[in-house]
Every structure is written in C-alpha cells, then in structure tokens.
Amino acid sequence: MNTGPDIASIDIVTIDIVKDSLLALSDEVFYVLARTSMSPIIYEVLDYASGISDADGNLLTQGNGVTGFIGMLSPMIADTIKKHGKENMKPGDVFMINDPYMGGGSHPSDVGMVMPLFYNGEIVAFAANKAHWTEVGGMAAGSFTTDAKEIYQEGLRFSCVKLVDAGEIIRSVVDIIRSNVRFPEMSLGDMWGQISALRIGFKRMGELCDKYHVDVVKASMERLLKQGEAVSRNCLKGLKKGTFEMEDYMDDDGYGNTVKLRVKVTITDDEFIVDFTGSSPQVASPINTGYSSLCAGVKVVFMSVINPQMAVNDGVFRPLKVIAEKGSIFNCNPPAPTSTYYESMLCATDLIWHALAETFPDRLTAGHYLSVCSVVMAGLHQDSGEPFLIVEPSCGGWGAGSDKDGEVGQFCVANGETYNVPVEIAETRYGILVKEYSLNTDGTGAGEFRGGSGAVRVYKALSDGQLFTASFGRFKSAVWGVDGGGSGSHNFFEIIRADGTKEARRGIAARIVLNKGDEAHLYTASGGGYGQAFKRPAAKVASDVKNGYITSEQAAKDYGVILDGNHAVTGLTAERERSQDPA
C-alpha cells in the first residue's frame, strides 16, 4: 500500500507554503463566524475561538478572540473522537459540546462544535470552534448567574452530541434548543454561524489537498507540530530555572467563605510544571472551573514567559504540565456550578503571574484588574416592548512593566484582544442609556512606572423591571504592584436609584431589580505600579496630573512632587529628597 512520501523527501519550501496555508485556512474559519453569528458578544466582542487539528486531534492552529480559550479546542476534539470513534464519523457530521467536565469545557454558555474534515473518504483533520451563546436556558436570563448552586441551573448541557448527521441537521436537537432558551433566534443563529464556519474549513481543506496532495498536507501538519515543540523547548532552556511559589485568596465564594489558592511553578530544562495542590476544594457557588479551562489559563502565562510571539499549536505546549486535585476549585466534579468559572481561572493565571513577575521582569508586568467584571442585564425595550439581554465583559487597568506604564481601559487577560459592544449598538438594541463611559482615574498603582487606569461605565434603565447581575472579582483585595510599586485599586459597582438613593458598593449580585431611572455604576480597577514611586521623573508626574490620571494631592503624597495651579513643578517633598540622598 502506498502511504505517500516521507516528510524528508518532500520539498521543504512546499511544506512551509502548505503550513502557512493551514494558518490562513484557520483565519478564514475564524472570520466567517464573526460575519455569520447573531449575538453581539460574538460578532462585536469576539468571545469565541476556532482552530484546525490533525486527524488525531493535535491542534495545528487556533484563531482567538478570547485568550481564555487557548488550547481548549484539542481536548474538545479528543473527547469527540473518544466518544464517537473516527470509524463512525461521516463527511458533514458536526458534534456539539459544552459540558464543563469534558474536554474543552468552561461553562455551558460556551458552546463548542467539532467537524471531521474528510478527503477521499479519509479523515485528514478536524475543524472546531467554541463561542459564547448569549442564551442556553437555565434559571436566569443570560444563563450564567452568581447564585447558581448546581450545574443544572445553568442551562442546557451538551455532552458531545451529534448535531449534524452527514450534512443534515438533526431536528430533534434543534427543537430542544428552541424550546429551552429565551432567545431562540439568537441562539440558533449562532449555532448556524458556527456550522457555516466549520463547513468553510471542510471546503478549504479539500482544496488544499487537491492542490498540494494529501500527503504533503499531512507532512506540513507534522512539521507545524514539531516546529512548535522545538521552538518552545529551545525557549524553555533559556529561562531561569527553579521553583516559584505563591499563595493568595479569592475575595470569597459568594457566601462570605474564604477561598485559598496555592501554586508551585517548577521550571527545568525540559518541563514547565504548574502545581495547584493545596488549593481550596470546590465550592457551592459558580466560581469553580474545570480542568480544561484551568489549563487554558495556565497556557496564557506559559506563552507569555516562553515566547508570546509563537503561534498556538499543541507542539508548543508539550513541555507544559498542569496538576490540580480532583474536586478542587481548579478541577471541579459534577454537579458543581461553573457559570462564572472565569473568576477562578483568572485567579490561577494571576497566581502564576505573581509568582514569576519579579523573576521575569521583561516578560510579566505588575498585576492587572484581574476580573472579567461581567454584566448581565435583562428586561423589556422601552420602545418596542421586546425582551433584550446584555451579556458583556468590562475593561480595566493593566499593571506597569519594568520599562513602561500600564495600559488603560483594556480587557482582562482571559478576554485578550476583544472589544466592548459600541455604545451606539447598546443604546439601540437594549433598554438602557449609557450615561458615561470614561477612564477611572483614581490615582492608584503609583510607581516609577504607573499602573493603567480602569474604566467607569454607567447604565441608566429606561424601563421598569430590568434585572441586573454582575461578578466583579478583586472587590476586596487590591491589585498587586512589583518591586516597590504601589497597589492598584478595586473593582466594584453600585446602584443609584432614580430618587438619588445610593446602595452599598458590591462585587457580586444576582438579578437586582432596576426600574426606570435607576442607574448601575460600574468601576474597574487601576493596575499595579512597578518600582519606587519616588523614582518617577517629576516631569512625568506633572504630565499625569495635567492629563487627569492623578491629582496634585496624589502627586505630593505618592510621588513627592509639588505642583502649582498650572501643573508646573515647584519642588519636591522632604521625604522624596531624603530618599534620593545617597548618604
């Protein structure tokens, strides 16, 4: 039997051309979903990912909106192969998976799809995507809430079910979705968008095999994985070796209970081992995360330290090992709820980041605002009377680096290169007025390099009976600085009623009723500072005051710089002068 040429016998230039074609193919699949989806959280925010694997489920390339999905697609494909068997798959099949306890799982709102890519009757690859559906049913509009106590309250769970059989949609599955979600046209529209994107992948893979021969395509896949592993291991050898530990606590579990977090990172010439043993057991609130999403959070920091410029594939992650005890908050068991899994996933990322920040100052900054700071609002539109649903993240401040100020108004590390829903779209589609969207210039995160500012967003309800749900981590504990840099601030929200009554600031809430004229004020934290604040040049401090990032009082208190009414430097405080005295 002719098995095709060995990789060594194929022209290396051709292999690299095909390798790059695979990257382009994945990019096209990514953009098709943005163009065909129905939910703003997909086509505006880009809360999704797509990718291509080889026939064994090894990820070859991945396009990301949210970095929190890095490396989640291959375990999703692996579980699909394990459950259904490649021998039972047909061209045109599509499988659906959103189970948090299976491979690639996060929370039920993130719906994954997998399609085998056939060529001449043989599976040569898989295409997969994973996207946040605005609605999958459950106890609350938006399908994720802060007070769920078990997974069954969080919506439909698809444990790798077949959705499309040989190109024909399975109507009974669609009927189940239509009957159990609050916005069926939106959810089913997103479903078809995902299917359409996978079908483009099927078509383009066939064209690639036609043009270059299937054996050349396979050889290029193998080269992509080997190249990713080689680059990763070579970068690993250049890192400082040792064991780095960190312990911290989440704000709480939603019921006032302490949630302890521990990590030990061990870097050797051959492995990058991240061990969360000793962290809190899973809790009764939905901040638990499954193992797949934990690994995704770890991979973000791994790539940041190893080489952030590398393209994502499973070869890159072969030196990485992640350990978490079953039944812990980082590797939960059924029926633990996971709606707001990203809070613990982000804490895991932050914990590793904090443990390594001083060792790798050229790769890692001070702490950032950490949380997705998610907001869900549901109600009736004031003009049409039709139901609306907002599901979106909030941007905030990033930490300063060893040679730069922190970024302002960016999304958290789990969201990555995503976007907010534009104010114009929000005010058109939803029953709210966006009264303010500005930087939160609270002056925190002082240092030689200043932490970036968070954001302020104010929603005014334009109809009665709206429901407001939010999860803002780092409400109690401030963002951390590095090398003497000051702490950043806190995330929080407060409700101001139409009569002017202010309710207590909070970090977690489920379904607060807002009536016409009531306002939700959202504040996200500033990032941590880097280095001693007295080392920041006085001219930069004056510029910060002029631009509104800090006040004149903060300039004197935190930086030791005295300014006049025109923001001109008139002197230094005695404390700053003493700190700079070499004696």
Side-chain angles (χ1 to χ4, degrees):
M1 184 177 68
N2 181 16
T3 58
D6 181 77
I7 187 171
S9 68
I10 303 173
D11 175 16
I12 197 67
V13 174
T14 300
I15 289 177
D16 275 347
I17 289 172
V18 176
K19 176 172 67 69
D20 289 343
S21 297
L22 289 168
L23 298 174
L25 187 160
S26 182
D27 285 344
E28 184 175 4
V29 172
F30 179 82
Y31 288 113
V32 166
L33 179 51
R35 289 173 175 268
T36 55
S37 62
M38 289 287 288
S39 297
I41 198 169
I42 298 178
Y43 67 75
E44 291 286 353
V45 176
L46 306 185
D47 192 348
Y48 72 99
S50 65
I52 305 292
S53 81
D54 67 10
D56 295 322
N58 296 302
L59 185 69
L60 300 169
T61 176
Q62 180 168 332
N64 268 75
V66 292
T67 52
F69 288 166
I70 284 179
M72 275 197 183
L73 300 181
S74 49
M76 193 168 73
I77 295 167
D79 269 13
T80 301
I81 295 172
K82 180 180 178 181
K83 181 172 181 177
H84 293 275
K86 287 192 286 185
E87 69 278 5
N88 299 315
M89 296 178 182
K90 303 182 291 293
D93 284 354
V94 177
F95 304 89
M96 181 164 57
I97 180 170
N98 74 335
D99 193 324
Y101 316 116
M102 296 185 72
S106 47
H107 60 178
S109 298
D110 293 331
V111 180
M113 294 194 188
V114 176
M115 172 183 263
L117 306 184
F118 282 79
Y119 184 76
N120 290 339
E122 174 193 10
I123 294 177
V124 295
F126 285 87
N129 52 35
K130 183 179 178 71
H132 186 115
W133 286 16
T134 302
E135 248 287 325
V136 291
M139 67 183 284
S143 306
F144 67 98
T145 184
T146 58
D147 61 347
K149 292 182 173 60
E150 55 183 5
I151 190 71
Y152 311 111
Q153 296 173 306
E154 298 179 328
L156 290 167
R157 184 155 50 118
F158 303 104
S159 299
C160 197
V161 301
K162 184 180 280 191
L163 175 64
V164 182
D165 184 28
E168 295 295 321
I169 194 78
I170 299 175
R171 291 292 170 186
S172 57
V173 177
V174 174
D175 289 344
I176 290 170
I177 297 170
R178 186 184 299 277
S179 298
N180 285 278
V181 302
R182 295 170 178 82
F183 296 84
E185 297 308 316
M186 185 177 293
S187 296
L188 293 175
D190 293 337
M191 177 196 77
W192 281 112
Q194 288 182 257
I195 294 170
S196 299
L198 296 179
R199 286 174 171 171
I200 285 293
F202 191 108
K203 179 181 179 182
R204 295 290 183 257
M205 183 60 71
E207 292 170 352
L208 198 60
C209 291
D210 282 340
K211 185 174 183 179
Y212 292 103
H213 194 277
V214 65
D215 292 320
V216 176
V217 173
K218 290 179 182 178
S220 297
M221 293 177 180
E222 184 179 348
R223 176 168 171 76
L224 196 59
L225 293 169
K226 286 184 175 179
Q227 192 175 59
E229 181 178 4
V231 172
S232 183
R233 292 194 182 280
N234 185 57
C235 292
L236 182 61
K237 291 184 187 298
L239 295 183
K240 181 177 180 180
K241 308 303 184 294
T243 298
F244 311 90
E245 299 187 53
M246 183 60 60
E247 185 174 299
D248 202 352
Y249 295 85
M250 295 183 71
D251 280 350
D252 61 50
D253 64 351
Y255 300 102
N257 301 309
T258 299
V259 181
K260 182 180 179 180
L261 310 174
R262 293 188 64 184
V263 73
K264 180 169 70 173
V265 182
T266 303
I267 302 175
T268 71
D269 280 336
D270 303 309
E271 289 186 305
F272 193 106
I273 305 167
V274 183
D275 186 353
F276 292 97
T277 299
S279 295
S280 171
Q282 66 189 51
V283 297
S285 68
I287 60 172
N288 305 290
T289 192
Y291 184 72
S292 287
S293 47
L294 171 70
C295 290
V298 173
K299 287 171 181 176
V300 173
V301 185
F302 173 77
M303 289 195 68
S304 298
V305 173
I306 292 288
N307 183 348
Q309 304 303 320
M310 286 192 298
V312 173
N313 65 57
D314 274 351
V316 168
F317 300 122
R318 284 174 181 164
L320 177 63
K321 183 178 181 181
V322 182
I323 301 168
E325 297 164 294
K326 287 289 290 180
S328 71
I329 194 167
F330 290 137
N331 189 3
C332 63
N333 291 323
T338 63
S339 320
T340 56
Y341 79 97
Y342 42 80
E343 297 294 357
S344 53
M345 183 192 77
L346 274 161
C347 282
T349 302
D350 189 66
L351 203 62
I352 309 165
W353 189 336
H354 198 175
L356 300 177
E358 291 199 21
T359 304
F360 300 102
D362 59 328
R363 310 288 176 91
L364 299 172
T365 64
H368 77 323
Y369 76 113
L370 180 68
S371 177
V372 172
C373 293
S374 60
V375 174
V376 181
M377 289 184 70
L380 299 178
H381 196 281
Q382 72 279 2
D383 296 327
S384 65
E386 293 295 316
F388 73 86
L389 179 62
I390 300 173
V391 179
E392 65 177 330
S394 305
C395 61
W398 277 62
S402 59
D403 59 356
K404 69 178 186 68
D405 292 340
E407 289 77 14
V408 303
Q410 299 295 307
F411 284 106
C412 73
V413 67
N415 285 108
E417 307 229 359
T418 55
Y419 304 89
N420 57 250
V421 175
V423 170
E424 296 83 358
I425 290 178
E427 292 185 335
T428 299
R429 296 191 60 160
Y430 310 139
I432 50 98
L433 175 71
V434 182
K435 284 191 64 178
E436 180 180 352
Y437 197 10
S438 62
L439 292 180
N440 181 17
T441 52
D442 56 19
T444 57
E448 180 179 5
F449 297 98
R450 175 180 46 77
S453 297
V456 179
R457 195 156 84 253
V458 178
Y459 287 150
K460 181 177 181 178
L462 298 182
S463 59
D464 290 336
Q466 296 186 15
L467 301 178
F468 174 86
T469 297
S471 177
F472 281 42
R474 282 252 185 262
F475 167 61
K476 295 180 179 178
S477 56
V479 178
W480 46 272
V482 172
D483 193 27
S487 298
S489 50
H490 303 78
N491 302 304
F492 66 92
F493 59 86
E494 62 181 350
I495 303 301
I496 300 179
R497 298 297 177 179
D499 63 3
T501 302
K502 287 188 177 182
E503 298 184 357
R505 292 179 175 182
R506 284 184 266 186
I508 300 173
R511 297 180 301 286
I512 297 174
V513 177
L514 300 181
N515 292 316
K516 185 175 180 180
D518 292 343
E519 296 176 358
H521 290 236
L522 318 175
Y523 295 84
T524 58
S526 294
Y530 208 113
Q532 297 289 338
F534 284 174
K535 292 182 179 180
R536 187 169 181 82
K540 282 190 175 183
V541 176
S543 178
D544 291 340
V545 174
K546 185 176 182 179
N547 289 314
Y549 291 116
I550 63 175
T551 64
S552 294
E553 291 75 19
Q554 289 166 335
K557 177 178 176 292
D558 295 335
Y559 294 93
V561 177
I562 301 170
L563 306 174
D564 64 16
N566 296 315
H567 310 132
V569 178
T570 60
L572 304 177
T573 64
E575 187 179 2
R576 175 160 177 158
E577 287 181 335
R578 283 195 302 270
S579 73
Q580 296 174 351
D581 186 346

